[in-house]
Amino acid sequence: MEAVIQTKGLLSLPSNPRNRFLNPSQSLRQRVLSIKPNNLSAFPLSTNGFQKFNGVISRPGEIYQKNRTFHICKAEAAAAGADGQPVFGEAEKPKFLGIEPVTFKKIVPLGLMFFCILFNYTILRDTKDVLVVTAKGSSAEIIPFLKTWVNLPMAVGFMLWYTKLSNILSKEALFYSVIVPFIAFFGAFGFVLYPLSNYIHPQAFADKLLDTLGPRFLGPLAIMRIWSFCLFYVMAELWGSVVISVLFWGFANQITTVEEAKKFYPLFGLGANVALVFSGRTVKYFSNMRKNLGPGVDGWAISLKAMMTIVVVMGLAICGLYWWVNTFVPLPTRSKKKKEKPKMGTMESVKFLASSRYIRDLATLVVAYGISINLVEVTWKSKLKAQFPSPNEYSSFMGDFSSATGIMTFSMMLLSQYIFNKYGWGVAAKITPTVLLLTGIGFFSLILFGDPLAPALAKFGMTPLLAAVYVGALQNIFSKSAKYSLFDPCKEMAYIPLDEDTKVKGKAAIDVVCNPLGKSGGALIQQFMILTFGSLANSTPYLGGILLVIVLAWLAAARSLETQFNALRQEEELEKAMEREEVKIPVVPRTESGNGSLASGSALNPAPGDSTSSSSETSTPRN
């Protein structure tokens, strides 16, 4: 017969038990026996079990005290309060729908902030592509050069500036100092920079350089030609990485507890896709305004002013919500102890990646996704410009694309839990590369073999170009929805079974090496192809072959990682089972010497006339 003793509460002694609760001669056993008999009539407890806890012994000659009251340790009360349970003697706080009002005061503004930020991001993301792809003297070939030579240096410079400001300003001042320049720039672009673009862009100088260097340098020269549009592109990219990742999630982690985060953070993800749907319809509505305008009117300029006005209003709403939470919501107290995270340089990260097969496979997943999505996306946007050369038509299509992405991602998030429960981690990890492979084959096949398929496509009222645009759109919609709902959760779950050292170092190595490599790897490959073969269209067959190789390597890494992941899971479950067995304390029957169990009813519930119960007990010395 065995009994499991939970040390929380019963054995969680305060730092100075003698002065707070116990008399100098009072021991742990006397505290146990001081409970009223009716409450512990069937409490199996072995005195031999106490010898496992250092410093707690049973003293001979102690007397059973029947009418003592049981004192609750303050450490136990604090632990109960930390777990969110009402402390003994404290009235339970009123709740609405099972949630405390103070939690509503935090979560509702956070949800509104997240909606506004994602609403703006969708408008900015669709608009930035329209500006740089459909501009005169530019094309989709500008995107790889723009991401590598403008976006990356600007991101690094911003993070250095942000780090310096964080050492000088308070958290509130830092938030406003970062988000207000974004709001001011987008407002100025819609009403000042874009109307003056014909005067501030060096079109003639760029044309001379293009005639001298040749058409293969169209992408790099377009960065100089439409520099204000490129600046808008970079600021829109930084809105996604800075305002969402740094400002919002930093603020959310600051004001919420762990239990609140577990409950409400997944809802933010669903709300983000609702924002995609609404903002996509907004982009489409304002993009179609040109149809109601007279001839000679720049419809895109009017649409741009309307959308930038919405961005500014949403940005001011974000600031207002942030001010309200900081003013009227009590923030949770945090421990001042900080855990030091290992800082790994680039070479240290590469060495660590090379030393672990598990981390190498996980890194392959991250790099492969970044390269694959870039290879297809840029090629698709070049065909999209050919099909929709007008900025308004291009923007209207992107509005439909964003709405469809939001709806599909929302559906996949609801379906992902069933996939994980029914088929497991391995199947969930292979869905994203499989989707990319199948849709990528269809997309590149339509580009390479479109002419023979033209008669068959004409029966459906489509040209090979329009079919490639639709298939590329489906490829982006399905791959991004699978990424948000399956790939990201699989990637984070893969860290869980690792030991603490490997987990922290592996994540640091992947953040330092693999994330930038995945984002810029596809762009570097496309730059090489464009400069080698003269244009993106000429390099399409080679890009399709590279995509096939990368996705196959991705699937192989996912299969290998699945085997290792399941093995670590089984090992972890076995260790947990062994740990549960180790905390069990054997209960031995009472012997004549006085050792053994205290579970008998006569020991804990003595008869009124039993003299042995009220006399002093003797016990043999314990080692």
Side-chain angles (χ1 to χ4, degrees):
M1 178 178 178
E2 293 180 333
V4 180
I5 296 180
Q6 296 182 355
T7 60
K8 177 182 174 181
L10 179 61
L11 298 177
S12 57
L13 297 178
S15 59
N16 191 4
R18 293 179 179 272
N19 295 334
R20 294 185 184 180
F21 305 109
L22 301 178
N23 295 326
S25 62
Q26 196 173 9
S27 66
L28 178 62
R29 180 182 175 189
Q30 193 169 358
R31 292 180 62 208
V32 173
L33 295 179
S34 64
I35 309 174
K36 292 184 178 182
N38 292 334
N39 297 334
L40 284 176
S41 58
F43 193 95
L45 187 62
S46 173
T47 55
N48 286 338
F50 289 122
Q51 64 187 350
K52 291 189 176 183
F53 304 96
N54 297 329
V56 180
I57 61 174
S58 176
R59 294 185 178 181
E62 290 176 341
I63 301 175
Y64 173 77
Q65 301 178 12
K66 184 175 180 179
N67 296 322
R68 296 279 297 177
T69 57
F70 182 67
H71 300 276
I72 299 177
C73 297
K74 290 184 179 180
E76 180 185 359
D83 292 339
Q85 301 174 355
V87 183
F88 180 76
E90 179 183 348
E92 187 175 358
K93 297 179 181 179
K95 294 182 179 180
F96 177 72
L97 298 177
I99 303 172
E100 296 181 1
V102 67
T103 302
F104 271 113
K105 292 173 68 175
K106 290 188 291 186
I107 297 303
V108 172
L110 279 178
L112 293 175
M113 284 179 65
F114 199 51
F115 180 88
C116 294
I117 291 172
L118 266 296
F119 193 97
N120 276 0
Y121 179 60
T122 305
I123 293 178
L124 297 174
R125 183 184 61 187
D126 294 344
T127 305
K128 69 181 177 61
D129 291 332
V130 175
L131 286 170
V132 300
V133 173
T134 63
K136 181 182 177 181
S138 179
S139 68
E141 295 178 2
I142 190 179
I143 295 178
F145 298 94
L146 192 55
K147 286 186 175 182
T148 304
W149 305 110
V150 181
N151 193 26
L152 186 60
M154 286 282 287
V156 173
F158 175 83
M159 293 312 297
L160 293 175
W161 174 70
Y162 179 84
T163 303
K164 187 174 182 180
L165 282 182
S166 63
N167 297 328
I168 302 173
L169 303 176
S170 64
K171 291 182 179 180
E172 293 186 39
L174 180 63
F175 185 93
Y176 296 126
S177 299
V178 172
I179 196 171
V180 169
F182 279 99
I183 299 171
F185 171 79
F186 293 129
F189 182 86
F191 290 89
V192 179
L193 290 179
Y194 184 82
L196 296 176
S197 59
N198 293 330
Y199 303 98
I200 60 178
H201 289 169
Q203 296 283 354
F205 181 65
D207 289 336
K208 291 181 181 180
L209 290 178
L210 185 62
D211 293 337
T212 304
L213 299 176
R216 69 183 59 194
F217 288 92
L218 174 67
L221 290 176
I223 296 176
M224 178 188 66
R225 180 194 297 271
I226 54 172
W227 64 268
S228 66
F229 296 172
C230 294
L231 184 60
F232 183 93
Y233 186 98
V234 173
M235 292 295 285
E237 286 281 336
L238 288 177
W239 178 275
S241 58
V242 172
V243 179
I244 296 176
S245 301
V246 178
L247 296 185
F248 174 78
W249 286 116
F251 180 57
N253 294 334
Q254 174 191 349
I255 69 171
T256 56
T257 63
V258 175
E259 293 302 322
E260 291 170 345
K262 289 179 181 179
K263 186 180 298 184
F264 294 105
Y265 277 12
L267 298 180
F268 290 162
L270 297 178
N273 294 286
V274 175
L276 282 178
V277 176
F278 281 95
S279 56
R281 305 317 299 167
T282 302
V283 170
K284 183 176 179 62
Y285 172 79
F286 286 110
S287 300
N288 291 332
M289 288 179 60
R290 186 183 63 87
K291 297 178 181 179
N292 302 323
L293 299 175
V297 179
D298 189 354
W300 176 238
I302 296 176
S303 301
L304 189 63
K305 288 180 180 179
M307 288 189 288
M308 291 304 103
T309 301
I310 294 176
V311 169
V312 171
V313 171
M314 287 290 189
L316 295 176
I318 295 168
C319 295
L321 290 167
Y322 180 82
W323 172 84
W324 188 88
V325 172
N326 280 282
T327 305
F328 297 104
V329 178
L331 304 183
T333 56
R334 303 292 187 190
S335 173
K336 296 183 179 180
K337 296 180 180 179
K338 295 182 179 180
K339 297 181 179 179
E340 294 184 0
K341 295 182 179 180
K343 296 181 180 180
M344 303 177 65
T346 303
M347 292 307 299
E348 293 177 344
S349 302
V350 172
K351 291 179 181 178
F352 186 81
L353 288 172
S355 64
S356 172
R357 179 189 170 196
Y358 191 97
I359 298 298
R360 285 200 307 271
D361 290 337
L362 187 55
T364 303
L365 266 63
V366 176
V367 174
Y369 174 81
I371 294 177
S372 301
I373 196 67
N374 279 323
L375 289 179
V376 179
E377 192 174 30
V378 175
T379 307
W380 170 62
K381 287 178 180 178
S382 66
K383 300 302 177 183
L384 190 59
K385 181 192 176 182
Q387 180 65 36
F388 303 107
S390 168
N392 284 90
E393 294 176 350
Y394 191 111
S395 179
S396 177
F397 182 87
M398 291 302 294
D400 289 334
F401 170 78
S402 296
S403 297
T405 303
I407 295 172
M408 188 63 193
T409 306
F410 187 89
S411 304
M412 285 295 294
M413 282 186 169
L414 297 178
L415 185 63
S416 61
Q417 186 175 4
Y418 170 79
I419 295 175
F420 278 112
N421 294 334
K422 179 71 175 178
Y423 301 103
W425 185 93
V427 174
K430 295 172 188 173
I431 289 178
T432 305
T434 303
V435 168
L436 267 167
L437 179 62
L438 296 179
T439 54
I441 291 174
F443 174 70
F444 283 103
S445 298
L446 285 171
I447 294 177
L448 298 175
F449 310 107
D451 293 336
L453 297 174
L457 293 173
K459 297 179 180 180
F460 298 95
M462 290 191 298
T463 63
L465 177 60
L466 183 60
V469 168
Y470 284 149
V471 172
L474 291 175
Q475 191 273 341
N476 275 270
I477 290 171
F478 285 119
S479 60
K480 288 185 177 181
S481 61
K483 191 256 184 186
Y484 296 143
S485 59
L486 295 173
F487 178 79
D488 287 344
C490 283
K491 180 187 68 174
E492 298 302 325
M493 287 170 61
Y495 290 107
I496 294 175
L498 297 174
D499 61 88
E500 195 62 29
D501 185 62
T502 307
K503 183 187 302 183
V504 176
K505 289 184 178 179
K507 194 167 182 61
I510 289 176
D511 289 342
V512 170
V513 177
C514 301
N515 276 339
L517 183 61
K519 292 178 181 179
S520 60
L524 291 173
I525 292 173
Q526 288 165 337
Q527 291 177 51
F528 175 77
M529 292 291 180
I530 291 171
L531 295 177
T532 302
F533 298 102
S535 67
L536 197 61
N538 295 337
S539 59
T540 298
Y542 305 98
L543 293 176
I546 293 173
L547 176 67
L548 179 63
V549 173
I550 290 175
V551 174
L552 291 177
W554 183 356
L555 286 169
R559 190 179 302 110
S560 172
L561 192 60
E562 177 189 8
T563 304
Q564 300 174 73
F565 178 78
N566 291 334
L568 286 177
R569 288 276 315 271
Q570 294 175 0
E571 181 180 348
E572 184 181 22
E573 292 297 327
L574 180 61
E575 290 177 354
K576 288 182 179 179
M578 294 177 64
E579 289 175 359
R580 286 194 295 267
E581 291 296 328
E582 287 178 358
V583 299
K584 291 187 177 181
I585 304 173
V587 179
V588 297
R590 175 179 291 276
T591 61
E592 296 180 357
S593 60
N595 290 326
S597 174
L598 297 176
S600 62
S602 61
L604 290 179
N605 297 314
D610 191 354
S611 61
T612 60
S613 300
S614 59
S615 62
S616 60
E617 295 182 0
T618 59
S619 59
T620 57
R622 290 173 172 78
N623 294 329

